[in-house]
Amino acid sequence: MADDLNLPKGDLMKGKKGLIMGVANHNSIAWGIASQLAAQGAELAFSYIEAMERRVKPLGESIGVKVFVPAEVTDDASMDQAFATLEKEFGTLDFVVHAIAFSDKNELRGSFVENTTRDNFLMSMNISAYSFVDVARRAEKLMPNGGSMITLTYLGSERVIPNYNVMGVAKAALEAATRYIARDLGPKKIRVNAISAGAIRTLSLAGIQDGRKMIAQGRQFSALKEDTSVEGVAGCALWLLSDLGRSTTGEVIHVDAGFHMIGLPDEAAE
Ligand code: NAD
């Protein structure tokens, strides 16, 4: 539960209401972010897919969440219903956390060019990239006083990471979408950013072949020589979603213990 995490308490999010999309269980990155935002006084709503309801509700309730909305991002009727419920319960929104991705795990292995089917390419793009555009358009209508939105991405968008394959292409689209949404919503004082997190042990990572190796390699080759912590990602989210982040938009921020900027690991030079 949230007690497992070392999260600073305070009032940075007091008076702010937001939607958290993507809690599946207590390992989810969205759960770490939600716990940090709650510890800083935010009022939260959780969206979830039906299959996860049994796990998500008790987690949310343990940090005071009262609004739960089913939301399947590929289904317009489900999204219409989710945002109608949010409007009824909250009236307006101050922030959104989008932590959603999916691809067929049979295609997150081996050769990208050989293994990528049209159907899974389109599904991965739909769930992992287009959904942020759709959510942003809907959430903007509930943000008359401005706001902040974040999404979660990974280095596989910028560089080739073995087995990440079509998800890397979807993350590249997600990061570009972040910039275009930030441009469109900027005049409405809505900030839009992406956090590029290092590998963290979650359900999603388990779907990638050798996902565990990604964690070990992150530890070995990162500048800090340590795992990316959920607390570190949640801290960045708190900065971006609170007024502390007021001048930052359209940005992709790496929170990966300095893995992304190493060109050649020391081991390769020995
Ligand atoms: P997770 O499996 O806990 O979360 C993924 C969430 O996506 C789940 O809650 C799932 O229910 C939701 N989801 C999938 N398909 C959906 C759909 N059709 N409609 C609505 N929701 C759907 O894993 P996570 O690692 O916490 O992933 C959260 C985000 O962080 C993802 O975008 C992921 O790509 C990103 N990310 C993860 C890592 C990592 O190493 N774990 C690193 C960088 C970025």
Side-chain angles (χ1 to χ4, degrees), residues 33-247:
I33 293 173
S35 303
Q36 176 62 93
L37 298 173
Q40 291 284 341
E43 195 180 339
L44 304 176
F46 276 15
S47 76
Y48 60 90
I49 51 171
E50 302 276 4
M52 297 296 171
E53 182 172 8
R54 203 172 46 85
R55 283 173 188 276
V56 172
K57 280 200 169 162
L59 275 177
E61 280 161 5
S62 74
I63 56 168
V65 177
K66 294 192 187 70
V67 181
F68 295 90
V69 289
E72 163 55 59
V73 295
T74 58
D75 178 354
D76 285 337
S78 166
M79 295 298 285
D80 288 348
Q81 183 62 51
F83 276 82
T85 306
L86 273 176
E87 185 171 15
K88 187 166 146 272
E89 297 288 341
F90 275 0
T92 58
L93 279 180
D94 298 291
F95 63 90
V96 173
V97 175
H98 173 278
I100 287 174
F102 189 76
S103 186
D104 179 348
K105 67 177 179 0
N106 294 317
E107 299 191 15
L108 300 181
R109 57 189 59 201
S111 164
F112 166 68
V113 69
E114 290 297 334
N115 293 352
T116 306
T117 62
R118 188 192 307 269
D119 278 355
N120 185 52
F121 185 97
L122 294 175
M123 180 181 72
S124 306
M125 281 285 186
N126 189 10
I127 298 178
S128 315
Y130 180 73
S131 65
F132 190 46
V133 183
D134 186 50
V135 164
R137 184 172 49 244
R138 293 170 184 277
E140 177 259 319
K141 298 191 170 51
L142 301 183
M143 292 181 163
N145 309 316
S148 179
M149 305 181 191
I150 59 167
T151 187
L152 271 297
T153 186
Y154 178 64
L155 186 66
S157 60
E158 303 167 59
R159 294 166 192 227
V160 174
I161 304 282
N163 304 314
Y164 202 64
N165 295 3
V166 63
M167 192 51 76
V169 178
K171 291 300 194 192
L174 178 68
E175 291 171 21
T178 298
R179 291 184 282 271
Y180 279 90
I181 300 167
R183 191 271 310 262
D184 285 350
L185 303 191
K188 296 177 175 166
K189 305 297 170 212
I190 298 171
R191 297 183 292 102
V192 186
N193 293 286
I195 298 177
S196 184
I200 293 177
R201 195 177 304 265
T202 64
L203 263 187
S204 289
L205 190 81
I208 303 165
Q209 190 176 42
D210 291 334
R212 280 167 180 239
K213 270 196 205 159
M214 286 165 69
I215 297 183
Q217 286 157 351
R219 191 162 52 236
Q220 188 181 354
F221 299 132
S222 64
L224 296 178
K225 304 284 179 215
E226 63 184 31
D227 291 343
T228 297
S229 64
V230 174
E231 289 95 330
V233 176
C236 183
L238 174 62
W239 162 55
L240 289 170
L241 297 174
S242 71
D243 295 340
L244 293 176
R246 64 163 51 99
S247 298

